[in-house]
Amino acid sequence: MTETTGVRLRADHVSIRFGGLLALSDFSLEIRGGDLKGLIGPNGAGKTTAFNVLTGVYRPTSGAVVVAGMRADGKKPHQINRLGLARTFQNIRLFKELSVIDNVKVASLSDTHPIFKPKALARAGRLPGGDYWRAALEASNNYYDWWRALLLSPGYLREEREITERSEAMLSVMGLWHRRHEVAKSLPYGEQRRLEIARALATKPKVLLLDEPAAGMNTKEKADLMVLIRELRDRFSLGVLVIEHDMKLVMGICEVITVLDHGETIAVGTPAEVRRDPKVIEAYLGDAFVEAQKASTAKSAPSEAMTSAHPEMSAHPEMSAHPEISAHPEDRSARPVPELILEAKDLVVSYGAVTAVRGISLAVRKGQLVALIGGNGAGKTSTLRAISGMIKPAGGSVRFLGEDITGAKAHVLVPRGMAHAPEGRGIFLNLTVEENLMLGAYLRRDAAEIEHDAERCYGLFPILKQRRRQVAGTLSGGEQQMLALSRALMNRPRLLLLDEPSLGLAPQIVDTIFEVLKDVNASGVSVLLVEQNAHLALSLAHVGYVLETGQIVTEGPGPTLLTSPEIRKAYLGES
Amino acid sequence: MSALRLISDSLKSNRPKGAGSRPLVLCLGLGMALVVACQKKPGEGASEASPERAEVSKTGAGQAVHSGQAATAGAGAGAEAAAAEKPASDSAAAALGAPEGGDVILLGEVGSLTGAQATFGISTRNGIELAIRDINEKGGVRGKKLAVRVYDNQGKPEESANAMTRLIAQDKVVLILGEVASTNSLAMAPKAQASQVPMISPSSTNPKVTEVGDYIFRVCFIDPFQGFVMAKFARDHLKATSAAILKDQKSDYSIGLTEVFTEQFTKLGGKVVSTEAYAQGDTDFRAQLTAIRRTKPDVLYIPGYYTDVGLIARQAKQLGVKSVLLGSDGWESAKLFELGGTAIEGSYLSNHYAMNDPSPAAKAFREKYKAAYGATPDSLAALGYDAAMVAADALARAKDLSGPSVRDAIAATKDFPGVAGRISLNDKRNAVKPAVVLKVGNGTLEYVTTIQPDA
Amino acid sequence: MSREWIKGPLPVLVVLPILSVLTYATTDMPFFIYLASITGVNVILAVSLNIVNGITGQFSIGHAGFMAVGAYAAGYFSRALAGVQLVFLPEVVSDQVIFLVAVVFGGMLAALFGFLVGLPSLRLRGDYLAIVTLGFGEIIRVFLQNTEALGRALGLRGIPQRSSLLAVWMAAFLTILVARRIVSSSHGRSLLAIREDEVAAEAMGVDTTGYKVRAFVVSSFFAGVAGALFAHFVPIINPSSFTFVKSMEIVVMIVAGGLGSTTGAVLTAIILTLLPEQLRTVLTSGAEGTDLAQRVDQLRMPIYGATLVALMLLRPQGLFGTRELWDLWPRSQPKASDP
């Protein structure tokens, strides 16, 4: 309560390198008592890496982390916690089988009464061979603690009572007291989040790091959370650092936001400053997006009808205003509407208590390339997985080539002509390129045709031909992505589901892949593409859908969507 | 100085003075008191503790001494084991009210019916079962039928002790048969000794088994006897004058046999020209074999296990060792022919029993066994049969069915005609009986001769 | 407050006379004593292994190795001092004191080995402990098998048989008490937290390595004590009693009882030890004197195995899950501020 201005957490030009990859470079941050700061960035920007460096999971390659005036880099997570840094986890990591109060009690353990006090330990450290003495005394402290627990010494019982009282008080603050004897995993989702915060606070932190505290929450819960975070900050005079994907939340509560992209800090400032920063927009929406938006605002603002526009509504007045992109929708309007390949209606996907997709309807027609875009955690991948049968949807229906395939398993769908190239590529790292391709054609029996298709893939990506005998694990990221795409094509799909093909790749490679994708699409394969890079996806797509928190906020012909303000809202939380 | 401060500091800081520190201090005090207070028990300590230790540290030597027929030590060890069991023996004696009533005399058997040594246990059990059937067909013993309660010990010593306790305390058997493995017999013997229930091991060959006490017997010869057998065979039948020995220096068994062989061979006028050693699991024996070749012995004695012997024979042949190879019952395995190939043919080994022993008793046994179990009996089956027969014979002769009477009856067994040779029990309760010598043929072991023990 | 010190030793003061009476009452029942002793030893092994595998969520499969260390250490110690008597004590008491020292010595040596094995392997997450303990168990066995002074494959004989029902079950009771008190203390909660989520526990300030090592040391200590007791009532201890199979038997006990449940560990240890004996009684009755009686004994182990398979199919979480008998006691509600 006393110290509100001193620096409690400082990261000083921290860099970390994994092999050849610079995951975080020159990252600096300062948290004082009462600060509420945010850390954002697109997928793979290095946010979690930054968190892990601060909390001691990783040791930085260079730079320093200082917690409460003590060097913390190189210390273990539990030691850093003792210095006064507590955290929560993105995917709630409670002690699930323990009761609510036991969850908090574990974190309250710091107060024990060892035989050898820190003073004695320090003195032992100064003796000749001090480190060993010190270690021995610490060990006796540790075993002595257990010994007292075994004998139920009065002092020990008193401590246990104190821990219980403090834990109950903490639970009262967080409104969980009435649940204290329930098993943690039985709590509803929102309360689990709160319990995790209570547990972190029980370690008496000076700085609290919250890793995506709003993930999986609905709008009301998010609003409550914003209030709670502010309250806690004031009540415990904490410094708070939040990583969050939900822009509304971050922009709503944080005073200062740091934006990371590819491990580099690209902007630091107030929410308003960050939101306007072209570098930030570029990082989130793709490089050319800024240009496209400028062009559109120069002309007319998109009409209201736009947001509800249907892909077939090619005769939209807005289209004619953009001759360069209206070309092909208009061409198509002359022909009959192509047959439906895939149709999803009111799709709902839940992971336990968390609902990721809340009633999405979309359609893919023959020869179309449909893009599904949206920020992190918007529900894009979940939608794709529900369609390809990798997870079972909680509601709604999926029709593929006129048949109801809701809940059908992936291995049934593949022979029918649906291929899924998942995020993270999912190739067999220990097999060669050729073997990977052959496995893609696992269900086919026509050897000559398979050979022909493999040649075609090598034609699309000549580099793969060079590397055909190489083990896939030794390929570069871009080559692996090419292989994943080729493997999906080996099954001669009618519909190709692609998840984030540009993730973590250098721009030229992304271009190559998207060129090929365009060719593939032109050859008659329908494509459903999930992509974070909005510009890239929409400039290619016949139809685009924009997702936000599991719902479609807008849809329309791809190039048209590029100019829609809804996209900025979805990505950057403007309102 | 600072160390002192440290201690005082820590004592002061021990604020929550719970029960925590008190027991610690108590323990320390007790420990110190112990160190000060320890001293030898007057009198008995010296005689009790030291022979036991001596025996452990020089097992090999101990074996050799016991196997030489002249009795030296041993009595001390037995008496000691009995003393160690004393607290239990009083109580167990109550269980001894031998079941004289009823129309069945119940015997006990402990064997490895399951586990890694199951083949041993099952052979033995079959042999015993066959013997009991034979006896009961002839009217049983003392007008009563014999019955055997068999317990499986899974080849583990603690299970053997368990089964043993159960047989004695629950089932109140008058006599116990078993076990094959010496370790298991050693786990059972103290229980039998303490409760004064006689125990007959069919085939535990380690000398220590019967040293446990005067209620423990066996119907097989002990390991080192084979050294004697082979020495005699080499001198008398092969007319060998010089011998070399290749011993497994990690096995008590091999060391014991080596010593007795050396002693006997020398006594009979031969000369042991070289003794080389290997360790179980070695794969290259060329150095030892080359050294042996230089001395040109008539015979090469290899008291080891078939796993090593196969390789040794092959390498000896490669190196041109001309000596005849001699071995022991450790060679007996179907694998021997596979491992040794033609190199092993023409060698000799000693054993308890020959599958093609031409004696009429052995022949009759083989036929009965084959009819009952559809297989040729191995030596364990024959020894199991003999053990049960010796037991029945003793029970018939015993004054009554109490432990001491049965014990005396067994101890008096003399020239009992077993299928694996005539059995006399000596004063150390080991069987004095002949061994057979077999010749390794092409996939078979041929009976050569029977070697009688010295009277 | 002033009478609080009694809470600590109270259970011992209650159980000690009960066990003493029981021991006195059963002096004439050698088979019962033997069976009860084996059962008690298995209870100690199961409960102590449960501290590591069940409560802390690690996976050790070399418990028999620590048992062997305790058994041989205590056995050798006792045998060496077999002829020694403490001057100020009568022989019986002196023997028991030496026996007690031997048991503690066996436990301590096993704990030391536990520390040496645990420290490097528990720094890492995952299955390293399983591999290292597996290796340790085998190394110990091979070492014993090849050491002249310890009797090689034949084993160690001549250990004074000083164990009693009282000693074994007192040790078993202490093991259960320790396991229970550790779990209900704040330290034990840290162990549970490590089981639930090691990363989160570390982030909440729990020195996970330290706790895991301590749990492992305590567990090894009691395994050593179990071995030491074992050595004092089985006439011969032998490397083949401490094989990997023995380790797995203990693992089976705690898995069948429900990983993490001390009650489950105790009950399954008792059931699984007595089951084969009980089967022996059932199978031999009614087949008296016939060939059948001789054959059925072999059926015990298959039946035992089938029972385990059936149990795991019907109750994959084990008999007790993670619940405890003492969960049935009404929870004492400490006064706390209402929200």
Side-chain angles (χ1 to χ4, degrees), chain A residues 425-437 439 464 467-484 487:
Chain A
R425 295 150 200 153
I427 54 176
F428 304 107
L429 294 176
N430 291 324
L431 301 184
T432 64
V433 168
E434 195 161 18
E435 285 163 344
N436 263 287
L437 286 183
L439 277 168
L464 290 183
R467 304 219 188 282
R468 62 194 293 175
R469 305 250 175 264
Q470 207 165 314
V471 173
T474 63
L475 299 182
S476 75
E479 289 160 0
Q480 290 187 6
Q481 188 61 59
M482 293 174 191
L483 179 57
R487 194 185 57 185

Side-chain angles (χ1 to χ4, degrees), chain A residues 77-78 81-82 87 93 95-97 102 105 109 142-143 145 150-152 154 156 160-161 168 177 180, chain C residues 1 4 8 181 185-187 189-190 193 196-197 200 202-207 211 214 331 333 336 339:
Chain A
H78 70 92
N81 173 274
R82 287 280 179 262
R87 69 172 294 183
R93 303 187 81 147
F95 308 126
K96 293 196 186 69
E97 300 286 341
D102 279 351
K105 279 182 177 177
L109 191 64
N142 293 333
Y143 283 93
D145 269 343
L150 296 186
L151 294 172
L152 301 184
Y156 158 80
E160 289 284 306
R161 273 195 300 273
E168 295 202 348
W177 190 81
R180 65 192 183 284
Chain C
M1 211 54 172
E4 235 178 13
R181 285 192 176 165
S185 75
S186 36
H187 307 283
R189 273 191 299 275
S190 299
E196 294 297 318
D197 191 326
E202 174 105 29
M204 291 308 122
V206 176
D207 173 11
Y211 270 96
R214 257 165 273 155
R331 191 193 302 277
Q333 296 281 0

Side-chain angles (χ1 to χ4, degrees), chain A residues 59-119:
Chain A
R59 181 194 283 260
T61 315
S62 66
V65 178
V66 178
V67 179
M70 304 270 279
R71 271 296 281 267
D73 48 297
K75 283 205 162 67
K76 287 187 176 168
H78 70 92
Q79 292 167 323
I80 293 181
N81 173 274
R82 287 280 179 262
L83 291 177
L85 194 69
R87 69 172 294 183
T88 64
F89 293 88
Q90 181 179 350
N91 43 341
I92 308 178
R93 303 187 81 147
L94 288 173
F95 308 126
K96 293 196 186 69
E97 300 286 341
L98 302 192
S99 70
V100 168
I101 191 153
D102 279 351
N103 264 278
V104 179
K105 279 182 177 177
V106 167
S108 311
L109 191 64
S110 53
D111 292 31
T112 54
H113 297 280
I115 329 178
F116 302 106
K117 287 288 170 63
K119 222 165 76 184

Side-chain angles (χ1 to χ4, degrees), chain C residues 90-124:
Chain C
E91 186 172 343
V92 182
V93 181
S94 157
D95 282 355
Q96 285 300 310
V97 170
I98 291 176
F99 166 55
L100 187 71
V101 174
V103 168
V104 173
F105 172 66
M108 294 300 257
L109 200 66
L112 178 69
F113 274 93
F115 181 75
L116 295 177
V117 169
L119 196 61
S121 47
L122 287 165
R123 281 176 193 283
L124 308 162

Side-chain angles (χ1 to χ4, degrees), chain A residues 191-238:
Chain A
E191 293 193 343
Q192 289 195 12
R193 283 269 176 219
R194 264 190 288 157
L195 176 56
E196 215 191 10
I197 296 174
R199 187 180 66 176
L201 288 174
T203 66
K204 296 186 175 167
K206 298 186 174 73
V207 177
L208 181 63
L209 306 186
L210 300 173
D211 194 349
E212 303 213 17
M217 285 188 171
N218 61 32
T219 323
K220 160 102 180 33
E221 286 170 333
K222 280 179 189 170
D224 291 348
L225 182 71
M226 283 163 73
V227 175
L228 180 70
I229 292 175
R230 282 211 197 87
E231 249 179 45
L232 292 175
R233 190 250 326 240
D234 297 340
R235 185 175 188 135
F236 298 98
S237 68
L238 292 166

Side-chain angles (χ1 to χ4, degrees), chain B residues 19 30 33-34 37-42 44-45 48-49 52-53 55-60 80 84-85 87 91-92 106 109 113-114 122 125-126 129 133 147-159 161-163 165-166 169-170 182-183 186-188 190-191 206 208 211-212 249-252 255 373, chain C residues 5 27-32 34-35 38 76 79-88 91 94-95 97-98 100-101 146 148-162 230 233-238 240-241 245-246 249 276-278 280-281 284 288-291 293-295 297-298 300-302:
Chain B
L30 204 69
L34 266 173
C38 279
Q39 69 155 58
K40 289 256 167 196
K41 276 181 194 171
E44 60 178 340
E48 197 172 302
E52 181 67 12
R53 260 200 301 266
E55 198 187 321
V56 171
S57 55
K58 297 190 293 179
T59 343
E80 177 224 337
E85 284 287 329
S91 54
L106 191 61
E109 185 199 340
L113 302 182
T114 57
I122 289 171
R125 188 208 56 197
N126 288 348
E129 202 177 53
R133 203 183 296 164
V148 183
R149 179 66 54 83
V150 192
Y151 287 142
D152 174 27
N153 62 9
Q154 302 162 44
K156 297 180 197 166
E158 69 269 26
E159 283 290 326
N162 180 21
T165 320
R166 188 180 175 115
Q170 302 285 106
S182 297
T183 317
L186 280 169
M188 291 156 60
K191 299 272 175 197
N206 191 299
K208 287 178 185 143
E211 287 165 21
V212 169
Q249 61 184 3
K250 276 184 141 181
S251 139
D252 290 346
I255 295 167
Y373 303 105
Chain C
W5 64 269
T27 34
D28 285 349
M29 302 159 73
F31 182 60
F32 173 81
Y34 190 89
L35 217 52
I38 283 274
Y76 199 81
R79 206 177 65 157
L81 293 182
V84 170
Q85 188 183 353
L86 302 172
V87 269
F88 51 86
E91 186 172 343
S94 157
D95 282 355
V97 170
I98 291 176
L100 187 71
V101 174
N146 288 294
E148 180 81 54
L150 298 177
R152 287 215 184 120
L154 201 55
L156 200 58
R157 298 179 307 126
I159 301 162
Q161 306 277 293
R162 286 169 180 163
F230 179 80
F233 66 83
V234 172
I236 183 170
I237 52 170
N238 170 291
S240 69
S241 300
V245 177
K246 179 72 189 174
E249 263 174 32
E277 269 326 300
Q278 198 50 45
R280 195 170 255 169
T281 310
T284 46
E288 194 62 59
T290 65
D291 287 356
Q294 303 186 5
R295 301 196 185 281
D297 204 43
Q298 289 169 75
R300 289 186 307 137
M301 286 300 135

Side-chain angles (χ1 to χ4, degrees), chain B residues 70-211:
Chain B
T72 42
E80 177 224 337
E85 284 287 329
K86 205 166 256 161
S89 70
D90 298 338
S91 54
L96 256 174
E100 188 80 50
D103 54 354
V104 165
I105 300 176
L106 191 61
L107 310 185
E109 185 199 340
V110 180
S112 325
L113 302 182
T114 57
Q117 304 161 8
T119 52
F120 300 168
I122 289 171
S123 278
T124 308
R125 188 208 56 197
N126 288 348
I128 291 176
E129 202 177 53
L130 197 62
I132 299 296
R133 203 183 296 164
D134 284 357
I135 294 161
N136 286 342
E137 271 169 17
K138 288 181 191 140
V141 175
R142 304 168 91 98
K144 294 175 185 175
K145 299 275 182 205
L146 287 186
V148 183
R149 179 66 54 83
V150 192
Y151 287 142
D152 174 27
N153 62 9
Q154 302 162 44
K156 297 180 197 166
E158 69 269 26
E159 283 290 326
S160 309
N162 180 21
M164 195 70 177
T165 320
R166 188 180 175 115
L167 284 173
I168 295 169
Q170 302 285 106
D171 303 327
K172 307 207 188 311
V173 298
V174 296
L175 185 148
I176 285 155
L177 301 168
E179 227 272 356
V180 177
S182 297
T183 317
N184 294 336
S185 291
L186 280 169
M188 291 156 60
K191 299 272 175 197
Q193 181 67 27
S195 322
Q196 302 187 335
V197 176
M199 164 177 154
I200 304 177
S201 163
S203 42
S204 287
T205 51
N206 191 299
K208 287 178 185 143
V209 173
T210 46
E211 287 165 21

